[in-house]
Amino acid sequence: MLDEDLKQVNRTMWSYGDYARVARLLDPGAVRLVDRLDVHPGQRHLDVATGNGNVALLTAARGALVTGLDLTDEFFDDCRRRAAEAGVELTLLAGDGEDLPFPDGDFDLVTSTYGIQFAPRHGVVAAELARVCRPGGQLGMCNWTPRSWTAHFQEALSSYFPAPPEETGQPMLWGDERYVTGLLGRYFELTTQRRTLWYPYPDAEALIAFFESCFGPFIAARRSISPPSRWAQLRAELVEISEDFLVDDDRGRGFAVEYLEVVGRRTEQS
């Protein structure tokens, strides 16, 4: 289980800003993932690192019995608001992906999008996802890839803070096909596909200004980095990094942000 001090840091960090605005950028990935899965009424679904419920609300609308779990409950009010607007119900719990509070084989479907990959101990998380998924049940994930804009953004942001403990796994490895197959292949029959999200910002300055205004970890960095010149240095570095990802095509000007979609079927208990 995560050290309680580290948990509190994460809770505080994610309490800043307005994550719902970021979640809207991620929603197309949730839609594509749920369309890949066999979701039907009465199915028991666990969405780990549920945030404000992008995936959970979609499966609830298809009749699944949904439990959303997240390390922090900061986004649950927004999730409940969205659920009420959609006319669906779901259960929300604060909890740790490394220690899921459910019996073995309790769910027909287990998902996580852009979240569980940030848990420190990858092998523990993989075993927990498998443990609570029944034989024949489904797994669905979206994970940032090591070459994505998100990976470069996170690497630059993290470089201004103390290094995490040695046992902490690199989050973006979950977006590497071979790595994630090594983690989960003993439990699930997997298929993977690289996809992209579209961030419709005309230039790198606009993209960074957006995240500066609403993304909790970015706001936490701005508040904690000193002296102010170091913040200016980080911000300029992030703008420069982002410029390499700007594209201009039939979608317009924006940023194609890569992630790995992972879909699996639980094998017999191992």
PDB file of all heavy atoms in Angstrom, residues 173 175-184 192 194 260:
ATOM      1  N   LEU A 173       5.855   3.249 -18.761  1.00  0.00           N
ATOM      2  CA  LEU A 173       6.106   1.889 -19.234  1.00  0.00           C
ATOM      3  C   LEU A 173       4.802   1.132 -19.487  1.00  0.00           C
ATOM      4  O   LEU A 173       4.768   0.208 -20.305  1.00  0.00           O
ATOM      5  CB  LEU A 173       6.971   1.129 -18.227  1.00  0.00           C
ATOM      6  CG  LEU A 173       8.438   1.561 -18.147  1.00  0.00           C
ATOM      7  CD1 LEU A 173       9.141   0.836 -17.004  1.00  0.00           C
ATOM      8  CD2 LEU A 173       9.143   1.283 -19.471  1.00  0.00           C
ATOM      9  N   GLY A 175       2.511   2.089 -21.142  1.00  0.00           N
ATOM     10  CA  GLY A 175       2.147   2.341 -22.533  1.00  0.00           C
ATOM     11  C   GLY A 175       3.046   1.657 -23.539  1.00  0.00           C
ATOM     12  O   GLY A 175       2.925   1.885 -24.745  1.00  0.00           O
ATOM     13  N   ASP A 176       3.945   0.801 -23.073  1.00  0.00           N
ATOM     14  CA  ASP A 176       4.806  -0.006 -23.938  1.00  0.00           C
ATOM     15  C   ASP A 176       4.206  -1.401 -24.061  1.00  0.00           C
ATOM     16  O   ASP A 176       3.964  -2.068 -23.060  1.00  0.00           O
ATOM     17  CB  ASP A 176       6.218  -0.073 -23.347  1.00  0.00           C
ATOM     18  CG  ASP A 176       7.148  -0.932 -24.166  1.00  0.00           C
ATOM     19  OD1 ASP A 176       7.190  -2.161 -23.917  1.00  0.00           O
ATOM     20  OD2 ASP A 176       7.819  -0.403 -25.063  1.00  0.00           O
ATOM     21  N   GLU A 177       3.962  -1.844 -25.289  1.00  0.00           N
ATOM     22  CA  GLU A 177       3.266  -3.108 -25.512  1.00  0.00           C
ATOM     23  C   GLU A 177       3.967  -4.282 -24.845  1.00  0.00           C
ATOM     24  O   GLU A 177       3.322  -5.132 -24.202  1.00  0.00           O
ATOM     25  CB  GLU A 177       3.114  -3.378 -27.008  1.00  0.00           C
ATOM     26  CG  GLU A 177       2.205  -2.413 -27.747  1.00  0.00           C
ATOM     27  CD  GLU A 177       2.945  -1.219 -28.336  1.00  0.00           C
ATOM     28  OE1 GLU A 177       4.025  -0.874 -27.800  1.00  0.00           O
ATOM     29  OE2 GLU A 177       2.453  -0.639 -29.313  1.00  0.00           O
ATOM     30  N   ARG A 178       5.278  -4.368 -24.999  1.00  0.00           N
ATOM     31  CA  ARG A 178       6.003  -5.500 -24.431  1.00  0.00           C
ATOM     32  C   ARG A 178       5.970  -5.465 -22.907  1.00  0.00           C
ATOM     33  O   ARG A 178       5.807  -6.492 -22.256  1.00  0.00           O
ATOM     34  CB  ARG A 178       7.438  -5.498 -24.939  1.00  0.00           C
ATOM     35  CG  ARG A 178       7.572  -5.801 -26.430  1.00  0.00           C
ATOM     36  CD  ARG A 178       9.005  -5.796 -26.882  1.00  0.00           C
ATOM     37  NE  ARG A 178       9.785  -6.849 -26.226  1.00  0.00           N
ATOM     38  CZ  ARG A 178      11.084  -7.027 -26.396  1.00  0.00           C
ATOM     39  NH1 ARG A 178      11.768  -6.232 -27.223  1.00  0.00           N
ATOM     40  NH2 ARG A 178      11.722  -7.999 -25.783  1.00  0.00           N
ATOM     41  N   TYR A 179       6.110  -4.277 -22.356  1.00  0.00           N
ATOM     42  CA  TYR A 179       6.122  -4.165 -20.902  1.00  0.00           C
ATOM     43  C   TYR A 179       4.766  -4.536 -20.318  1.00  0.00           C
ATOM     44  O   TYR A 179       4.679  -5.310 -19.350  1.00  0.00           O
ATOM     45  CB  TYR A 179       6.510  -2.747 -20.494  1.00  0.00           C
ATOM     46  CG  TYR A 179       6.620  -2.555 -18.996  1.00  0.00           C
ATOM     47  CD1 TYR A 179       7.773  -2.920 -18.311  1.00  0.00           C
ATOM     48  CD2 TYR A 179       5.566  -2.015 -18.260  1.00  0.00           C
ATOM     49  CE1 TYR A 179       7.879  -2.749 -16.941  1.00  0.00           C
ATOM     50  CE2 TYR A 179       5.665  -1.843 -16.883  1.00  0.00           C
ATOM     51  CZ  TYR A 179       6.821  -2.212 -16.233  1.00  0.00           C
ATOM     52  OH  TYR A 179       6.918  -2.051 -14.871  1.00  0.00           O
ATOM     53  N   VAL A 180       3.693  -3.988 -20.874  1.00  0.00           N
ATOM     54  CA  VAL A 180       2.374  -4.256 -20.303  1.00  0.00           C
ATOM     55  C   VAL A 180       1.980  -5.716 -20.508  1.00  0.00           C
ATOM     56  O   VAL A 180       1.303  -6.307 -19.658  1.00  0.00           O
ATOM     57  CB  VAL A 180       1.321  -3.282 -20.877  1.00  0.00           C
ATOM     58  CG1 VAL A 180       0.834  -3.707 -22.255  1.00  0.00           C
ATOM     59  CG2 VAL A 180       0.146  -3.116 -19.924  1.00  0.00           C
ATOM     60  N   THR A 181       2.444  -6.316 -21.597  1.00  0.00           N
ATOM     61  CA  THR A 181       2.202  -7.745 -21.789  1.00  0.00           C
ATOM     62  C   THR A 181       2.955  -8.562 -20.747  1.00  0.00           C
ATOM     63  O   THR A 181       2.434  -9.558 -20.217  1.00  0.00           O
ATOM     64  CB  THR A 181       2.603  -8.176 -23.207  1.00  0.00           C
ATOM     65  OG1 THR A 181       1.811  -7.443 -24.158  1.00  0.00           O
ATOM     66  CG2 THR A 181       2.385  -9.669 -23.413  1.00  0.00           C
ATOM     67  N   GLY A 182       4.168  -8.128 -20.411  1.00  0.00           N
ATOM     68  CA  GLY A 182       4.906  -8.800 -19.360  1.00  0.00           C
ATOM     69  C   GLY A 182       4.225  -8.690 -18.012  1.00  0.00           C
ATOM     70  O   GLY A 182       4.255  -9.630 -17.207  1.00  0.00           O
ATOM     71  N   LEU A 183       3.603  -7.547 -17.737  1.00  0.00           N
ATOM     72  CA  LEU A 183       2.896  -7.349 -16.476  1.00  0.00           C
ATOM     73  C   LEU A 183       1.612  -8.160 -16.398  1.00  0.00           C
ATOM     74  O   LEU A 183       1.300  -8.784 -15.382  1.00  0.00           O
ATOM     75  CB  LEU A 183       2.532  -5.870 -16.301  1.00  0.00           C
ATOM     76  CG  LEU A 183       3.551  -4.919 -15.713  1.00  0.00           C
ATOM     77  CD1 LEU A 183       2.961  -3.511 -15.687  1.00  0.00           C
ATOM     78  CD2 LEU A 183       3.958  -5.340 -14.303  1.00  0.00           C
ATOM     79  N   LEU A 184       0.838  -8.138 -17.474  1.00  0.00           N
ATOM     80  CA  LEU A 184      -0.536  -8.627 -17.425  1.00  0.00           C
ATOM     81  C   LEU A 184      -0.763  -9.913 -18.203  1.00  0.00           C
ATOM     82  O   LEU A 184      -1.816 -10.547 -18.064  1.00  0.00           O
ATOM     83  CB  LEU A 184      -1.493  -7.556 -17.972  1.00  0.00           C
ATOM     84  CG  LEU A 184      -1.583  -6.267 -17.144  1.00  0.00           C
ATOM     85  CD1 LEU A 184      -2.305  -5.179 -17.937  1.00  0.00           C
ATOM     86  CD2 LEU A 184      -2.302  -6.516 -15.829  1.00  0.00           C
ATOM     87  N   THR A 192      -3.488  -5.043 -27.940  1.00  0.00           N
ATOM     88  CA  THR A 192      -3.117  -3.649 -27.723  1.00  0.00           C
ATOM     89  C   THR A 192      -3.177  -2.880 -29.040  1.00  0.00           C
ATOM     90  O   THR A 192      -2.984  -3.457 -30.118  1.00  0.00           O
ATOM     91  CB  THR A 192      -1.702  -3.519 -27.131  1.00  0.00           C
ATOM     92  OG1 THR A 192      -0.753  -4.071 -28.051  1.00  0.00           O
ATOM     93  CG2 THR A 192      -1.593  -4.262 -25.804  1.00  0.00           C
ATOM     94  N   ARG A 194      -2.203   1.263 -30.501  1.00  0.00           N
ATOM     95  CA  ARG A 194      -1.838   2.654 -30.265  1.00  0.00           C
ATOM     96  C   ARG A 194      -2.888   3.567 -30.888  1.00  0.00           C
ATOM     97  O   ARG A 194      -3.284   3.389 -32.033  1.00  0.00           O
ATOM     98  CB  ARG A 194      -0.454   2.960 -30.846  1.00  0.00           C
ATOM     99  CG  ARG A 194       0.661   2.285 -30.065  1.00  0.00           C
ATOM    100  CD  ARG A 194       2.025   2.591 -30.644  1.00  0.00           C
ATOM    101  NE  ARG A 194       3.058   1.929 -29.853  1.00  0.00           N
ATOM    102  CZ  ARG A 194       3.944   2.574 -29.106  1.00  0.00           C
ATOM    103  NH1 ARG A 194       3.935   3.899 -29.060  1.00  0.00           N
ATOM    104  NH2 ARG A 194       4.843   1.906 -28.411  1.00  0.00           N
ATOM    105  N   LEU A 260      -1.812   3.979 -25.381  1.00  0.00           N
ATOM    106  CA  LEU A 260      -1.970   2.565 -25.721  1.00  0.00           C
ATOM    107  C   LEU A 260      -3.291   2.072 -25.162  1.00  0.00           C
ATOM    108  O   LEU A 260      -3.528   2.144 -23.953  1.00  0.00           O
ATOM    109  CB  LEU A 260      -0.821   1.746 -25.141  1.00  0.00           C
ATOM    110  CG  LEU A 260      -0.793   0.265 -25.542  1.00  0.00           C
ATOM    111  CD1 LEU A 260      -0.403   0.135 -27.016  1.00  0.00           C
ATOM    112  CD2 LEU A 260       0.185  -0.509 -24.663  1.00  0.00           C
TER     113      LEU A 260
END
